[in-house]
Amino acid sequence: MKSLRYIALFFLMAVATSAAPANLTPYKLPARHAASSYDTSCELIASACEAIREASPFAAMAQAENENAADSEEIDKITHYAAKFLGTRYRLGAAGPRQFDCSGFVGYVYRNFGYNLHRDSRSQYRQGDEVDKDDLRPGDLLFFSSRSSGRGRVGHVAMVVDVNSDGSCTFIHASSSKKGVVYQRFPDNGYYSRNFIGAKRIVGASRV
């Protein structure tokens, strides 16, 4: 549909161009009228060119590529920043920087880049855009149930830092069982696979 619109606008420009002043009759137009017609034609051509540029599928593709490149650069900064806290001790209710719980950790990291995530993991799950686990990218948040939250209810959050060629990913989180901020793998065919609830995208999301 957008391609058809693009073709129609291109045709409009051609028509506008053909409307440029030309001596199509044996009668000479008054100079003032000829100048007015010329100005009108130039305006039509300029408007048509601008409309074509905005509707062009190539322009949309270029814009999407620029946005993706900007997102990738920001995501790299976020995941590298998160890695600085590897080994930081876990403490329930702590929001950093010397100690963290799971939601305190991802909230602290993202806040450093201007994103205001809610304080607890269950509320964070209501932010961002939903993403399928087969389409994960670095920066996405993974949500799991926990022993304290009960099965099927969000109780833990982690951040993807790398997606592997086999479809698995590496995530970073503040783990109570590991006593601090660590890397782990998902799916693990174990605890995290059994308790996975969903994933959310924060960078580039329609709402946060």
Side-chain angles (χ1 to χ4, degrees):
M1 183 63 70
K2 192 166 186 178
S3 297
L4 291 175
R5 184 184 172 205
Y6 178 65
I7 293 170
L9 288 168
F10 188 83
F11 179 74
L12 174 62
M13 188 184 75
V15 171
T17 303
S18 68
N23 189 11
L24 301 179
T25 73
Y27 305 103
K28 185 176 181 180
L29 293 174
R32 182 163 47 186
H33 182 76
S36 175
S37 298
Y38 178 77
D39 292 341
T40 301
S41 297
C42 288
E43 290 176 4
L44 284 171
I45 293 169
S47 296
C49 287
E50 179 63 19
I52 288 172
R53 186 191 66 77
E54 292 178 354
S56 169
F58 305 108
M61 289 170 60
Q63 182 179 357
E65 288 177 359
N66 289 337
E67 289 175 353
N68 288 337
D71 286 351
S72 295
E73 184 177 350
E74 184 173 29
I75 289 166
D76 284 345
K77 292 178 180 178
I78 290 171
T79 55
H80 279 85
Y81 182 72
K84 293 181 179 181
F85 298 98
L86 284 167
T88 302
R89 292 183 61 185
Y90 179 92
R91 182 179 179 185
L92 182 63
R98 292 183 175 84
Q99 295 175 318
F100 293 106
D101 65 9
C102 64
S103 56
F105 174 61
V106 297
Y108 185 89
V109 170
Y110 264 106
R111 190 160 53 251
N112 187 70
F113 295 88
Y115 296 89
N116 293 314
L117 300 187
H118 297 315
R119 179 60 189 88
D120 64 282
S121 59
R122 194 170 301 171
S123 296
Q124 289 174 354
Y125 187 56
R126 294 195 291 268
Q127 295 181 269
D129 292 340
E130 187 172 358
V131 59
D132 191 90
K133 66 179 179 180
D134 294 326
D135 295 321
L136 293 172
R137 73 180 188 188
D140 291 343
L141 300 183
L142 304 176
F143 293 88
F144 307 91
S145 60
S146 66
R147 294 180 180 87
S148 60
S149 69
R151 190 161 183 83
R153 301 182 67 187
V154 174
H156 188 66
V157 60
M159 181 196 303
V160 177
V161 295
D162 192 27
V163 177
N164 307 308
S165 58
D166 63 358
S168 66
C169 70
T170 302
F171 64 83
I172 189 171
H173 67 146
S175 168
S176 58
S177 62
K178 300 292 183 180
K179 308 299 182 185
V181 178
V182 294
Y183 285 137
Q184 287 189 256
R185 195 178 181 92
F186 175 80
D188 61 348
N189 298 318
Y191 178 84
Y192 291 106
S193 293
R194 291 194 305 271
N195 291 281
F196 178 71
I197 290 179
K200 290 296 186 75
R201 180 157 297 163
I202 302 301
V203 178
S206 59
R207 59 184 179 84
V208 177

